[in-house]
Amino acid sequence: MTPVSDPSSFSTVSKCATKHLNLIYHVDFDKRVLKGKVALTLEVLEDKFSSLTLDSKDLKIFKVSANGQAAQFEVGTKHKSKGSPLEITLPFELSRGQHVIVEIEYETSPSATALQWLTPTQTVGKKHPYLFSQCQATHCRSMIPCQDSPSVKHTYYAQVSVPKELVALMSALHDGQVPDPSDSSRVIYRFRQPVPMPSYLIAIVVGALESREIGPRSRVWSEKENVDEAAFEFSETETMLKTAESLAGPYVWGQYDLLVMPPSFPYGGMENPCLTFVTPTVLVIAHEISHSWTGNLVTNRNWEHFWLNEGHTVYIERMIARCMESEHLRQFKGIGGWKELQESVNQFGANNVLTNLVPNLHEVDTDEAFSSVPYEKGFALLYHLEELLGGPEVFMGFVKSYIQLFAYGTVTTEEWKNYLFTYFKDKVDILNKVDWNAWMHTPGMAPVKPKYDTTMADACTALCQRWVKAKEEDLASFTEEDVKKLNSPQLIEFMALLLQEEPLPLSHVKKMQEVYQLNSVKNAEVRFRWLRICVRAHWEEAVPLALKMATEQGRMKFTRPLFKEVYNFSKYSDKALNTFKENRGALHPVTAMLVAKDLKING
Ligand SMILES: CC/C=C\C/C=C\C[C@@H](O)/C=C/C=C/C=C\[C@@H](O)CCCC(=O)O
Ligand SMILES: [Zn+2]
């Protein structure tokens, strides 16, 4: 494995490698902290080893020991986004191949960026508090002092003490629960993760949770008020898992549970092993299931190679759509993805190096670097290669082989490319014609736009152009029949196309509401785009609706653009700022940080 440093981590991954974590947590809702003890089993990688550096962020470190002997430690200067290096000096020297158990007693901060603590009023049930984590990309270090780099993979065991009226879940297999011997009002939940995984996939949730069985290896979890509806929504999970296995190989994680998150969860989903987190706005989990292979089994070496996780996951996700629905749907999703890529390039700017497929992340906050680029420029590259090398079955054969080769390990873009050339050794002449530098190390849109089939998209394009070209006298020609011919993905695409045009006149948007009744649509993907179309047309009645959606749920895919849209409507810039400030405390810490930057609020 070629040594590749991790610009997003302080940890000394060349000196030692974490093989196992043993975690003991006491969850304190009153103080909003995790009182923790972690035992890291480290393998020594160098000849003389007597010190190491771990990642930490806003942790109170009380005590460090190595093989039971007290060890010196120092928390270094805090970095603007990477947290603080935790320097540890062992009381003895070890050599290559030996193991050492480093134990650390610590406490997290109430403002730990990996954690969101919800009051009972912020939950559906309104009776109990709620805690959930989101570690990707570099927030595990605010929850555990560790080697917080995806280049390191380890198993873990955890014991979590919580008030006995609550349930704890983690990204691992359940290993039972016992009363807390030190406090009869608490219970200890036990978890075991036998498959080596990177720290960003450690996840915890504590709340008044219930579950329903939805398959032979799957349960869906949520607050009890939502659990029956969730069981219905995700009834196809086993079918989707089997389809993914037929494409990518065996599912190695054992259990595949789903946790329906509170509305403030900042992403559509998070592929935590054994327990995918999904927001209520997400109805399709093919992406998260696909991560069980690309991302969780084969993992990017560091975050500059994030496209390997996401590009391949989107490719498998869309192959599942091809298998379960149609090739036309896969093509249609490719067209939609190209638009998402265009939006990210427009947001960052076509010359911004963060739109490189493989960006340089030195001194870059990964949360600020996050966009659709690794997903959709990554997918476009893989689809382009599929077109060149023989079609979907041929290229999926490569993807399955790539997964088998790099399973349980980590990979860089160079290693991926070398294997691509090896696998297609009789098509090297074709591969040498690909402009790799343009695809990987150049900002802006992908150098080649795949030739997608437009069968499902044509109706969307036609309706969009009718509205764009319509004059006042043409507005009477629009009727509710226009959208009855469109399914939900097509309605979303129609609105995404409108968002790529100049803002519609206010008269057009009011007519659209009159004939299509879009204000009453609950589908988040539709509502999100509809409200942006209205605010861009300066329809003032839409402003409170946009801010309501921006604050009632916290998925950044929706919250950030909605706040920005209102902020850009100059008459309502202050309204956007004040609404954000009023709601800031209830937002996820990363969401709050990024919206503040979007609205140009310092501190
Ligand atoms: C080039 C970017 C380099 C590093 C970024 C890596 C992680 C960024 C960090 O912000 C975490 C992202 C977590 C994403 C989790 C799930 C996504 O797949 C959801 C995508 C957006 C959505 O659907 O809500
Ligand atoms: Zn993903």
Side-chain angles (χ1 to χ4, degrees):
M1 182 170 90
T2 46
V4 169
S5 69
D6 184 342
S8 309
S9 167
F10 289 112
S11 62
T12 44
V13 296
S14 59
K15 296 177 71 172
C16 62
T18 304
K19 293 300 174 186
H20 182 72
L21 291 185
N22 193 59
L23 272 172
I24 297 173
Y25 270 147
H26 177 102
V27 180
D28 185 333
F29 277 98
D30 294 333
K31 289 177 63 184
R32 292 192 159 191
V33 298
L34 299 180
K35 294 171 182 152
K37 182 171 180 180
V38 63
L40 302 101
T41 301
L42 306 173
E43 179 183 340
V44 176
L45 302 177
E46 59 180 9
D47 293 342
K48 291 186 177 181
F49 176 77
S50 58
S51 67
L52 67 143
T53 303
L54 297 177
D55 290 298
S56 74
K57 191 170 186 179
D58 303 326
L59 298 177
K60 278 183 191 166
I61 309 290
F62 300 121
K63 184 180 170 189
V64 179
S65 62
N67 290 352
Q69 298 176 49
Q72 296 302 310
F73 67 90
E74 183 180 347
V75 178
T77 307
K78 183 173 180 179
H79 182 269
K80 63 182 169 47
S81 60
K82 293 197 308 188
S84 310
L86 174 57
E87 317 280 355
I88 297 172
T89 305
L90 303 183
F92 44 73
E93 185 174 85
L94 295 172
S95 55
R96 189 180 179 85
Q98 287 190 288
H99 286 75
V100 60
I101 293 182
V102 173
E103 292 182 279
I104 303 168
E105 294 180 27
Y106 70 97
E107 188 174 284
T108 62
S109 159
S111 58
T113 51
L115 302 173
Q116 187 168 16
W117 301 82
L118 301 179
T119 62
T121 52
Q122 289 175 285
T123 68
V124 178
K126 308 292 180 204
K127 292 197 184 75
H128 300 288
Y130 197 106
L131 164 69
F132 67 80
S133 68
Q134 167 57 31
C135 287
Q136 190 181 34
T138 60
H139 298 289
C140 186
R141 63 193 70 175
S142 75
M143 206 167 85
I144 307 169
C146 61
Q147 291 187 303
D148 196 11
S149 166
S151 62
V152 174
K153 289 193 168 184
H154 48 72
T155 57
Y156 80 85
Y157 190 86
Q159 302 188 70
V160 183
S161 168
V162 301
K164 65 184 180 185
E165 59 276 14
L166 300 181
V167 170
L169 301 174
M170 289 192 79
S171 52
L173 302 173
H174 297 199
D175 191 32
Q177 65 250 23
V178 292
D180 187 331
S182 63
D183 183 336
S184 61
S185 71
R186 298 176 73 90
V187 61
I188 293 174
Y189 287 87
R190 292 167 169 167
F191 305 94
R192 182 170 54 84
Q193 180 48 267
V195 179
M197 50 166 251
S199 57
Y200 78 87
L201 291 175
I202 295 176
I204 186 169
V205 58
V206 182
L209 299 170
E210 287 193 11
S211 72
R212 296 289 185 274
E213 186 176 304
I214 53 173
R217 49 189 163 175
S218 300
R219 300 187 73 84
V220 62
W221 296 83
S222 75
E223 289 189 72
K224 65 171 181 286
E225 291 79 6
N226 295 340
V227 72
D228 288 322
E229 181 191 353
F232 173 76
E233 292 289 5
F234 297 113
S235 55
E236 278 199 318
T237 297
E238 179 60 22
T239 304
M240 212 169 269
L241 273 169
K242 284 198 172 71
T243 304
E245 285 185 300
S246 69
L247 290 164
Y251 177 78
V252 303
W253 302 92
Q255 190 71 8
Y256 183 83
D257 282 1
L258 287 160
L259 170 68
V260 178
M261 303 301 289
S264 65
F265 189 66
Y267 297 105
M270 183 60 212
E271 63 271 16
N272 300 310
C274 305
L275 183 65
T276 278
F277 288 16
V278 286
T279 52
T281 61
V282 163
L283 296 180
V284 179
I285 52 168
H287 183 89
E288 307 314 331
I289 284 178
S290 303
H291 267 308
S292 304
W293 289 269
T294 46
N296 297 7
L297 192 57
V298 177
T299 307
N300 49 217
R301 183 79 45 79
N302 68 39
W303 299 109
E304 294 178 339
H305 305 284
F306 185 48
W307 85 271
L308 291 170
N309 277 19
E310 297 303 343
H312 287 91
T313 295
V314 173
Y315 187 84
I316 297 173
E317 167 197 348
R318 288 175 182 161
M319 273 297 177
I320 291 173
R322 169 188 159 91
C323 294
M324 294 183 72
E325 299 288 336
S326 67
E327 175 61 9
H328 281 159
L329 181 59
R330 182 171 83 114
Q331 299 287 323
F332 181 70
K333 286 175 177 288
I335 292 168
W338 185 264
K339 228 176 259 65
E340 295 287 328
L341 174 60
Q342 184 67 68
E343 172 124 5
S344 287
V345 169
N346 294 346
Q347 283 299 318
F348 274 133
N351 295 319
N352 188 323
V353 291
L354 291 182
T355 62
N356 288 18
L357 187 62
V358 185
N360 181 318
L361 292 182
H362 282 76
E363 292 306 306
V364 175
D365 180 342
T366 52
D367 287 324
E368 292 185 52
F370 180 71
S371 76
S372 297
V373 168
Y375 297 77
E376 295 301 347
K377 193 187 271 192
F379 174 80
L381 170 58
L382 298 176
Y383 186 85
H384 176 58
L385 292 171
E386 173 193 307
E387 287 177 313
L388 295 178
L389 296 165
E393 285 77 13
V394 169
F395 199 73
M396 192 60 222
F398 160 72
V399 173
K400 185 171 185 178
S401 177
Y402 156 73
I403 291 167
Q404 285 168 336
L405 180 66
F406 290 100
Y408 304 100
T410 64
V411 60
T412 65
T413 300
E414 185 184 358
E415 291 162 354
W416 168 85
K417 188 178 165 210
N418 289 340
Y419 185 58
L420 179 77
F421 273 71
T422 302
Y423 185 88
F424 290 105
K425 57 186 178 305
D426 55 350
K427 297 177 181 174
V428 166
D429 55 324
I430 296 172
L431 289 174
N432 281 329
K433 291 191 183 106
V434 174
D435 188 345
W436 296 104
N437 189 57
W439 274 101
M440 295 183 160
H441 305 293
T442 305
M445 289 301 285
V448 176
K449 181 175 184 180
K451 300 172 192 59
Y452 295 118
D453 171 89
T454 60
T455 302
M456 280 187 69
D458 288 343
C460 316
T461 306
L463 185 56
C464 172
Q465 288 307 309
R466 274 186 61 203
W467 279 98
V468 167
K469 294 186 171 74
K471 298 190 175 22
E472 293 302 313
E473 58 270 25
D474 303 323
L475 294 180
S477 69
F478 294 102
T479 72
E480 63 179 345
E481 291 309 312
D482 303 334
V483 288
K484 282 191 173 164
K485 290 177 274 191
L486 304 181
N487 61 30
S488 191
Q490 287 175 309
L491 183 58
I492 292 165
E493 175 66 8
F494 158 61
M495 311 193 102
L497 286 164
L498 282 176
L499 283 168
Q500 288 203 311
E501 302 286 345
E502 286 302 310
L504 286 175
L506 182 53
S507 58
H508 289 47
V509 174
K510 287 187 172 179
K511 182 66 179 177
M512 195 177 285
Q513 166 53 22
E514 179 195 321
V515 294
Y516 299 165
Q517 290 299 302
L518 291 165
N519 274 344
S520 57
V521 172
K522 293 285 178 276
N523 177 303
E525 294 283 355
V526 173
R527 187 166 186 80
F528 159 62
R529 290 172 176 84
W530 166 241
L531 291 173
R532 291 180 66 194
I533 289 165
C534 295
V535 172
R536 283 189 184 182
H538 288 182
W539 192 358
E540 300 196 39
E541 287 84 340
V543 167
L545 300 177
L547 292 174
K548 186 167 184 286
M549 181 171 184
T551 50
E552 276 189 344
Q553 56 78 50
R555 182 175 177 184
M556 284 195 277
K557 177 181 177 182
F558 304 142
T559 292
R560 291 181 68 186
L562 285 167
F563 265 115
K564 271 190 277 189
E565 213 66 81
V566 174
Y567 181 77
N568 292 336
F569 184 175
S570 55
K571 183 176 178 184
Y572 289 92
S573 296
D574 287 345
K575 180 71 177 165
L577 290 167
N578 295 334
T579 304
F580 170 65
K581 288 170 183 170
E582 286 157 16
N583 289 273
R584 188 173 198 165
L587 292 175
H588 184 277
V590 175
T591 305
M593 180 273 285
L594 291 172
V595 173
K597 284 186 183 295
D598 292 340
L599 303 186
K600 301 173 178 52
I601 298 170
N602 301 318

